[in-house]
Amino acid sequence: MAEKVTIIGSGPAGWTAAIYAARAELKPLVYEGAETEENRLKGTLPLGQLSLTTEVENFPGFPAGDMTAYLDSSIAEEKRRYMGAHHKRGVSGPELMELMRQQAVNFGARVVTDDIVAVDLSRRPFTVRTLSGTAFQTESIILATGARANYLGLPSEERFKNRGVSACAVCDGALPRFRNRPVVVVGGGDSAMEEANFLTKFASVVYIVHRRDSFRASRIMADRALNNHKIQVKWNSTIDEVLGDDKSGVTGVRIRSTTNPDEVEELEATGYFCAIGHTPNTEFLAGQVKTNEKGYIVWTTGQRTYTSVEGVFAAGDVADDYFRQAITAAGTGCMAALDCERWLAAQGIE
Ligand code: NAP
């Protein structure tokens, strides 16, 4: 018999959809992703982008405080061990994701630690294939596979991730290591401008390193950055290497001129923020669901999470190239579950 609803993805959108679908007694099946080396390198391990961050200070309901007793009482012991010691600063990204996952499991969501590698959306029930080689049918699908931040691909970026290297100033900018110290932002689009401006609240100076001599960003965003006295732009420059050591994490960057490749300069910095865009995780859909020009899934009806394929819904960053916040992903995950529940009921599947 076909599954009623399969949720693909395990960030805030996927778990919120799972909590709602489970409470609606739809017995959702959640594919949370596989723990493969390929996924680790791509930044697409189970629990999504939040599992790659440290403190989450802007998810409502989690003010700073000692969460130890609460986590001990709500999360399975083996997961607590993997989460490590808690530092009394409120909830961390991995903890928040484990809490959401546990909440979904408590209500009866079934979770499989595997990737979906292919789907056939040409007829219902849909056929879904997994990395481990199984296939099954499902009446509906909620796509919540998120997006991954693009990095330049330097080994030194990888080495210092979470220790000064980040792709989200809103998530990490207020951390103590960036306060009153210089930081670097790479990129020349709206995200880079926004991240740089945001970081000036905390950092002593923000260097924007951009490979050309003009920004791609909208005029207003670019002007705001250019007029901010704490921001210095390094035009026509690329990052050669993120500098640092095991004890301190990031200590600076080495940049190279694009106009004169022999010209290198070292900038002292405690942070390196990569803002060169994101890539939505949609490869397994093989073009069967309509996307926009940047590859993000399109909602085909205003205020609904419907996609171009009836019975397929989308939530979270895979359908959002604009807000990209944990709370907005959770909100659209809820919407997708409600849309899906009503659609299934209309089909007589309850
Ligand atoms: P984006 O507009 O695609 O800009 C990416 C930037 O990264 C470009 O300046 C690009 O350089 C640079 N870049 C890309 N690959 C690079 C590489 N390998 N090495 C060095 N530099 C590289 O992406 P985004 O800034 O994330 O914005 C995405 C969308 O969200 C845009 O539509 C944007 O308007 C929107 N957004 C809006 C707001 C807002 O209005 N508040 C805030 C954030 C984002 P080149 O310019 O040389 O190509």
Side-chain angles (χ1 to χ4, degrees):
M1 212 172 86
E3 294 289 338
K4 280 186 204 160
V5 52
T6 301
I7 298 168
I8 311 176
S10 56
W15 295 126
T16 306
I19 291 164
Y20 272 76
R23 295 191 78 242
E25 305 209 329
L26 292 173
K27 300 185 173 51
L29 183 63
V30 183
Y31 271 76
E32 65 174 346
E35 285 168 349
T36 58
E37 179 63 7
E38 190 188 338
N39 279 344
R40 194 188 70 76
L41 291 174
K42 266 184 15 187
T44 53
L45 280 172
L47 306 185
Q49 294 185 83
L50 273 172
S51 70
L52 306 172
T53 67
T54 46
E55 287 85 5
V56 179
E57 294 177 326
N58 56 8
F59 198 92
F62 294 91
D66 187 350
M67 299 266 302
T68 310
Y70 177 59
L71 290 167
D72 281 345
S73 61
S74 56
I75 303 289
E77 203 187 329
E78 65 271 16
K79 300 267 184 190
R80 289 292 289 127
R81 274 201 294 272
Y82 128 86
M83 285 186 213
H86 198 71
H87 299 295
K88 305 189 180 182
R89 291 202 202 118
V91 78
S92 74
E95 288 163 357
L96 183 60
M97 288 300 89
E98 290 290 0
L99 287 167
M100 287 191 193
R101 183 185 193 279
Q102 187 65 48
Q103 199 170 351
V105 169
N106 290 352
F107 286 117
R110 292 160 299 145
V111 182
V112 184
T113 308
D114 200 355
D115 277 342
I116 299 298
V117 291
V119 289
D120 179 358
L121 304 180
S122 62
R123 70 172 64 167
R124 292 202 304 265
F126 307 120
T127 303
V128 176
R129 290 180 197 288
T130 69
L131 180 65
S132 58
T134 58
F136 64 93
Q137 296 200 308
T138 183
E139 301 286 355
S140 67
I141 297 177
I142 296 176
L143 299 168
T145 44
R148 56 189 186 270
N150 296 338
Y151 284 92
L152 295 173
L154 302 169
S156 51
E157 284 177 320
E158 193 59 36
R159 181 174 169 208
F160 298 117
K161 269 188 192 160
N162 268 347
R163 297 169 61 226
V165 168
S166 168
C168 181
V170 177
C171 319
D172 299 331
L175 297 178
R177 66 169 294 125
F178 305 123
R179 291 195 182 242
N180 302 313
R181 307 299 305 274
V183 300
V184 170
V185 173
V186 189
D190 280 334
S191 292
M193 302 304 117
E194 194 168 64
E195 304 249 309
N197 272 311
F198 182 78
L199 286 165
T200 58
K201 292 186 195 181
F202 315 105
S204 56
V205 51
V206 178
Y207 298 106
I208 298 179
V209 177
H210 183 41
R211 62 185 174 184
R212 293 188 294 122
D213 63 359
S214 65
F215 287 140
R216 171 182 302 277
S218 55
R219 184 69 189 271
I220 186 167
M221 302 276 285
D223 283 350
R224 203 173 292 151
L226 291 168
N227 293 330
N228 188 321
H229 72 278
K230 277 190 163 182
I231 293 178
Q232 283 183 34
V233 184
K234 296 288 181 183
W235 300 107
N236 298 314
S237 301
T238 53
I239 302 284
D240 235 16
E241 199 179 351
V242 182
L243 307 171
D245 55 56
D246 287 343
K247 185 165 161 277
S248 314
V250 172
T251 57
V253 294
R254 188 170 59 246
I255 62 173
R256 189 174 293 275
S257 164
T258 51
T259 48
N260 177 7
D262 291 335
E263 208 178 290
V264 292
E265 185 185 356
E266 286 193 4
L267 305 174
E268 195 192 315
T270 57
Y272 164 94
F273 291 83
C274 200
I276 61 168
H278 284 72
T279 301
N281 298 314
T282 56
E283 290 82 354
F284 67 102
L285 297 170
Q288 295 171 87
V289 177
K290 189 174 173 212
T291 55
N292 67 15
E293 69 286 356
K294 293 179 214 149
Y296 288 80
I297 294 172
V298 174
W299 286 349
T300 50
T301 308
Q303 302 299 312
R304 295 286 178 274
T305 58
Y306 304 163
T307 70
S308 59
V309 180
E310 196 183 330
V312 178
F313 306 84
D317 286 13
V318 76
D320 173 13
D321 63 1
Y322 192 77
F323 294 109
R324 298 193 303 238
Q325 299 300 302
I327 188 68
T328 52
T332 57
C334 160
M335 289 159 64
L338 294 177
D339 280 341
C340 183
E341 182 191 350
R342 286 167 195 166
W343 180 82
L344 285 168
Q347 312 304 308
I349 304 165
E350 291 186 38

